[in-house]
Amino acid sequence: NDQGTSQTSTMESYGIYASNVRHLEMQNVRLDLDKPDTRPALYAERVQTIEMDRFLAERSKGGPASIQLSEVQQLLVDGRRAPVAKAEIVNLKAGGSRVVAGNPFWMTVTARNAGPPALVEIPLSVGGNPLRRSVWLDSGEEAQVNFIHLKAVRPGEETAQSGNQTVRFPVLPAPVGHPVE
């Protein structure tokens, strides 16, 4: 209930979305695409434990990592705790053509896993507010991670940082409304 989705909102995954779950267990799950999609196959937030045995998910060429997590305490893959690694941040950009105070916008972080296959930690700070995502990346794999539903509170210049990448972008004032007659 009350997960903040509507007919006009974008689900954060093309396959499985889990939020506020104590224990999510998936066995023999396969997710395929009919057409390219810019979302991950699995997005989970505020989950205590995820167990995945024989989980396969198709990924669009150049698309996001198939598995993206936020505030997940434990990930078990095929009976073992998933190894964790730091991401090499390759690029950071503000999404959309313009950012307006009070309106949602997104940031895209491009990350690379320089080590063995692992759950890679991706930090992002927008206006001093720290955020974090974890994505599963194979060795040498690079993926874009979208942080969506971000909001800038006031107009002016805003700063975002991920790893050694920093972006400054203008935040426009919200348009002044007029009563409808």
Side-chain angles (χ1 to χ4, degrees):
N1 291 331
D2 302 320
Q3 293 303 312
T5 59
S6 72
Q7 292 177 340
T8 58
S9 66
T10 302
M11 282 298 277
E12 296 205 35
S13 73
Y14 76 77
I16 298 170
Y17 172 78
S19 180
N20 301 314
V21 175
R22 184 174 297 125
H23 190 108
L24 175 63
E25 185 175 336
M26 297 174 285
Q27 295 179 359
N28 298 317
V29 173
R30 180 182 171 144
L31 300 170
D32 294 314
L33 292 167
D34 288 336
K35 58 185 179 189
D37 200 305
T38 60
R39 299 170 297 169
L42 166 68
Y43 183 86
E45 60 187 352
R46 295 179 302 278
V47 177
Q48 188 173 345
T49 300
I50 298 175
E51 286 187 64
M52 300 183 337
D53 294 316
R54 295 169 305 280
F55 179 87
L56 295 171
E58 189 174 358
R59 177 181 173 198
S60 294
K61 185 174 178 156
S66 296
I67 300 170
Q68 292 192 25
L69 311 174
S70 177
E71 299 177 54
V72 172
Q73 293 179 18
Q74 179 175 243
L75 173 65
L76 301 171
V77 178
D78 296 327
R80 294 189 184 103
R81 189 175 186 102
V84 177
K86 278 186 140 180
E88 176 186 335
I89 306 302
V90 177
N91 193 15
L92 171 65
K93 66 179 180 175
S97 58
R98 58 191 196 135
V99 176
V100 177
N103 290 352
F105 71 98
W106 71 93
M107 301 287 303
T108 301
V109 177
T110 304
R112 180 181 306 125
N113 180 6
L119 191 60
V120 178
E121 299 287 327
I122 301 173
L124 174 67
S125 175
V126 180
N129 296 320
L131 302 165
R132 186 170 301 283
R133 294 282 189 281
S134 300
V135 299
W136 183 265
L137 293 177
D138 287 331
S139 181
E141 187 176 19
E142 188 174 293
Q144 293 183 346
V145 178
N146 294 317
F147 289 76
I148 67 173
H149 304 301
L150 303 172
K151 284 190 182 177
V153 178
R154 52 183 114 14
E157 185 175 85
E158 193 65 81
T159 302
Q161 183 173 6
S162 184
N164 61 358
Q165 302 287 316
T166 301
V167 171
R168 289 180 177 74
F169 55 94
V171 177
L172 303 173
V176 177
H178 298 285
V180 176
E181 294 182 18

